[in-house]
Structures are given as C-alpha cells and as structure tokens.
Amino acid sequence: MSSYRELARTPGVARIIAAQLTARFPSGMISLGLLIHVEHLTHSYAAAGVVLAAVSIGQAVAGPVTSRWMGRWGMRRVLTILTAIYAAAIATIAVAPLPVPALVALGLVAGLATPPVQSAVRTIYPKLVNARQLTALYSLDASLQEMIWVLAPVLITFLALQVSTVLGLLAVVVIAIGGGAWFILSPETGRVRIPPSRSALGRVLRKPTVLLATAIGLLFIGAAAAIEAGIVATFGEGGVESGLVLAVFALGSLVGGLGSGSIPMSPWSTARRLGIVAVGTALTLLWVDNPWWLGGALFVAGVGFAPALAVMLSSTSASVKFSETAEAYGWINTGQLLGAALGSMAAGFAIDGIGSIGAYVVSLTMIVGAALVAAVFHRGFPDLRHRDASPIPDTEPVQTIT
C-alpha cells in the first residue's frame, strides 16, 4: 500500500481521480435511466431498447474519433463542446414528449457526443506522476471505477422509480455538467497537451498491444455484461440479492486491483489474471440459485477483474507514442462497448433458451476466450517487469548545421 500512499501525496493525483470519476459517473446511470424513462413514456421496452442501442452505437463509433480530436483541438475545447451537446440531448429526452424516432435520433446524438473523459485522463496520467508510479496509478484507476458501477445504478433506480424518470435523467445532466466542468477546469487537464497524431485514423490498431487489448476487452467486458444479465434473471429485477451479489463482484475487483498495484507485469500477466476471472466464473455454474455461493464465486472472479484491466491499460501506454494514447484508449473503449452489447444480447438469448444458467455459460465462454487470446498472443504484450509504462516519446527530424 506504500505505492498508493505515495500517489496520494503526489500533487494533483487525488483531485484528477475524483474529478474524472465524477465526470464519468453518468455512464453508470444513463442506460437504466433511459430504459426506465423511455418505457414509461412509450410503454414499450422494445422502443427503450432501440434508444439504448442508438446510444451504444454512437459511443462505439465516436470513441476513437473524439479521442483523436483532443490532440488536434485540445482536451478542454473538445470536452467542453461534447459535454454541452451530450447534456442538451439527454435534457431534451427528459423533458420533451417526443415520438420514438426523435428519441432514437437524440440517443444517437448523445452517444456520439459522449465526452471521452476516460481516454483523456489515461492520457494525462503519464504526465502527472513519475514513470515508477504509473503502473500503480493505472491499477488504482481500474479499481476505483468500480464505484461507478455500484453506486450509479442504485442512484438512478431510486430517482427514476421512487421520484420521477424526468428527475432521474436531469440528475444525469447535472452530474455530467458538474463533473465535466470539474475535470475540464482541473489544472492537470490544462497543463497536458496531446501532440496531433501524424498517422491515419485507425493506424494505431496495427500495434499488436492495442489490437489485443481491444479484442480481449470486447470478450472480457462481454463476459461481465453476461454475468450481470444472469444475476438479474436469477433473482429478478427487484430482488435485493441482485444488488448485493453485484456489489460483492465489484468489491472483489476493488480488492484485487488495490492488491496487485505493485506486482510486476510480464507478457503472461493478462492471461493469468483473466484465468482468475475464468475460475470464479466457472464456480458460479455449480450453484447459480444460491446468492451466498454466487457472491463468493464472483468475489473470486472480481479479484482478477481490475488487475487484468490494469495490465491492458499499462501495456497500451507502454506500446504507443504519447500522441497516439488517446486514440488507442478510444479504440479499447469501443471494443468494450461492443463487448457489453454482444454479451448482453447473447446472454438474453441463452436465458430465453435454457434459463438463467445460460447467461453464466455465455460469460464463461467469453472469459475463457479472452484468456486464451491473451495466452496465445502473449508476446504482443510488453514485459514491464524491468521498465516503466510510460508512452514512447514523440520524435521528429531536427535540422542541424553541417
């Protein structure tokens, strides 16, 4: 824990972590908020699903593009404009009784304008701490983001169901504007300038580490989405067990992430940590109806979750030029969004076919696939046992007098 105490004493670290977590908090609220609001408005879950799909498509398409824009026009300018558009789109959905096609169009706009805070902050990190602290900082980031996925759904569900669906979405708008302003106005955001990338859009995917992290992230987050669907199917949407089991899953991830921050990362680390997730997921199949067993199994799975994500973040940072980091993280985020959609869809079909256990089978299949990809292509990950995770410096020809 000494590495985390050292991070806490580093100027700006606590502030930028708190600011980015607040700015990203709406990402844990928006899906449930839109689902409940659009269903209440149209009395159709199908319509709500189409609106959510439009948001997800917009986010997946925009991620690498808007992340890349930050190198051309600056982080503050891009984040400010996108936050304003995102907030306006969600606010319009909340207060205007619009037909479904208009809601879908606004959902697409909101998805396209989702501020790339995640890419921005992970680009700032290498400039905020020294190289020796970077791996621990990525582990801390991967661990603390679990708070978003535990607290945000609880808050939006309470507001939308107990008060008003309109108030729930307006709360998303207020947090997006407030958290976004805090992050945008933080001194660290203003001090870091991303050099414009000289390569074409998507060229960074030629880097084996970025391509692997994107593909593995798709399977990895897809497995998590399938697990969540299985838990809801097992205990029901209103079952208190669902929230408790998911909280234990997140707690395991938090414990694993904080505990692994100082462990050196080798090319095999991603496969090993995904293996822990696979073992925990396999244990769920033994007794899916028992919340105590399920919680224990998912705690084991969670222990490998944040550490695996931390390896992919650190490896990506160490494998690309600084000017490419934001776009690289944008592609990884796109892979994770696609994985969440595919995992949820596959789990839904499996649940309809063979019951809630089908979702756990889907999850196990995806996480084993992720671990196998990480193992077979382990040489695509850098060896960080004897080097730091700093990005490759951008260089350019320098004229000399001869």
Side-chain angles (χ1 to χ4, degrees):
M1 290 297 175
S2 60
S3 58
Y4 297 121
R5 287 194 294 269
E6 187 178 351
L7 282 174
R9 291 193 295 265
T10 303
V13 169
R15 175 173 54 231
I16 202 68
I17 287 178
Q20 64 98 2
L21 286 175
T22 306
R24 291 169 56 198
F25 200 79
S27 64
M29 303 172 67
I30 190 62
S31 294
L32 274 174
L34 283 175
L35 177 69
I36 297 170
H37 177 75
V38 176
E39 193 279 329
H40 280 205
L41 192 66
T42 64
H43 305 290
S44 169
Y45 278 107
V50 173
V51 174
L52 285 179
V55 174
S56 297
I57 291 170
Q59 290 175 330
V61 170
V65 178
T66 55
S67 297
R68 186 182 175 90
W69 283 352
M70 293 190 293
R72 179 174 298 177
W73 293 306
M75 277 192 283
R76 279 182 165 168
R77 182 180 299 177
V78 171
L79 291 172
T80 299
I81 294 172
L82 292 177
T83 299
I85 297 173
Y86 175 84
I90 299 301
T92 304
I93 292 174
V95 302
L98 298 170
V100 172
L103 294 174
V104 172
L106 284 169
L108 181 62
V109 170
L112 291 170
T114 300
V117 175
Q118 189 169 333
S119 298
V121 74
R122 289 169 179 171
T123 302
I124 290 172
Y125 284 158
K127 301 297 183 182
L128 191 60
V129 299
N130 62 48
R132 180 175 50 82
Q133 297 173 299
L134 195 54
T135 298
L137 182 54
Y138 280 125
S139 295
L140 182 63
D141 176 272
S143 302
L144 292 180
Q145 74 174 9
E146 294 298 333
M147 293 191 300
I148 296 174
W149 310 114
V150 174
L151 300 178
V154 174
L155 176 60
I156 189 63
T157 302
F158 172 79
L159 291 175
L161 295 181
Q162 303 301 322
V163 185
S164 159
T165 61
V166 172
L167 182 62
L169 287 183
L170 290 180
V172 173
V173 172
V174 170
I175 296 173
I177 293 173
W182 186 10
F183 180 76
I184 291 165
L185 296 175
S186 295
E188 296 74 25
T189 304
R191 282 198 296 264
V192 176
R193 181 183 179 278
I194 307 172
S197 178
R198 297 183 179 87
S199 59
L201 177 66
R203 194 178 182 88
V204 72
L205 286 172
R206 294 186 180 184
K207 301 289 178 67
T209 304
V210 179
L211 184 59
L212 279 173
T214 301
I216 292 170
L218 186 152
L219 294 168
F220 182 34
I221 301 302
I227 279 284
E228 291 175 2
I231 292 170
V232 172
T234 300
F235 302 110
E237 293 183 9
V240 67
E241 297 94 339
S242 298
L244 293 175
V245 170
L246 287 172
V248 171
F249 188 20
L251 178 62
S253 181
L254 179 63
V255 170
L258 295 177
S260 65
S262 59
I263 298 176
M265 298 176 179
S266 75
W268 282 98
S269 292
T270 305
R272 292 193 189 104
R273 297 179 185 196
L274 289 173
I276 296 173
V277 183
V279 168
T281 304
L283 290 174
T284 63
L285 298 176
L286 300 180
W287 204 353
V288 297
D289 297 327
N290 187 301
W292 295 99
W293 176 266
L294 201 58
L298 290 179
F299 182 87
V300 173
V303 167
F305 196 93
L309 181 60
V311 176
M312 289 187 280
L313 295 177
S314 299
S315 298
T316 299
S317 175
S319 302
V320 299
K321 294 180 179 179
F322 181 65
S323 61
E324 299 171 326
T325 51
E327 184 187 341
Y329 289 128
W331 282 111
I332 292 171
N333 189 50
T334 290
Q336 292 175 356
L337 287 167
L338 292 175
L342 290 173
S344 297
M345 180 179 66
F349 281 112
I351 291 168
D352 287 343
I354 61 174
S356 63
I357 195 172
Y360 301 100
V361 173
V362 169
S363 180
L364 180 60
T365 302
M366 295 185 81
I367 196 62
V368 168
L372 288 175
V373 171
V376 172
F377 299 102
H378 68 278
R379 294 183 184 275
F381 290 101
D383 191 340
L384 300 180
R385 288 174 294 183
H386 308 294
R387 56 167 291 197
D388 58 69
S390 299
I392 301 168
D394 285 271
T395 58
E396 58 184 7
V398 178
Q399 291 185 344
T400 60
I401 300 175
T402 58

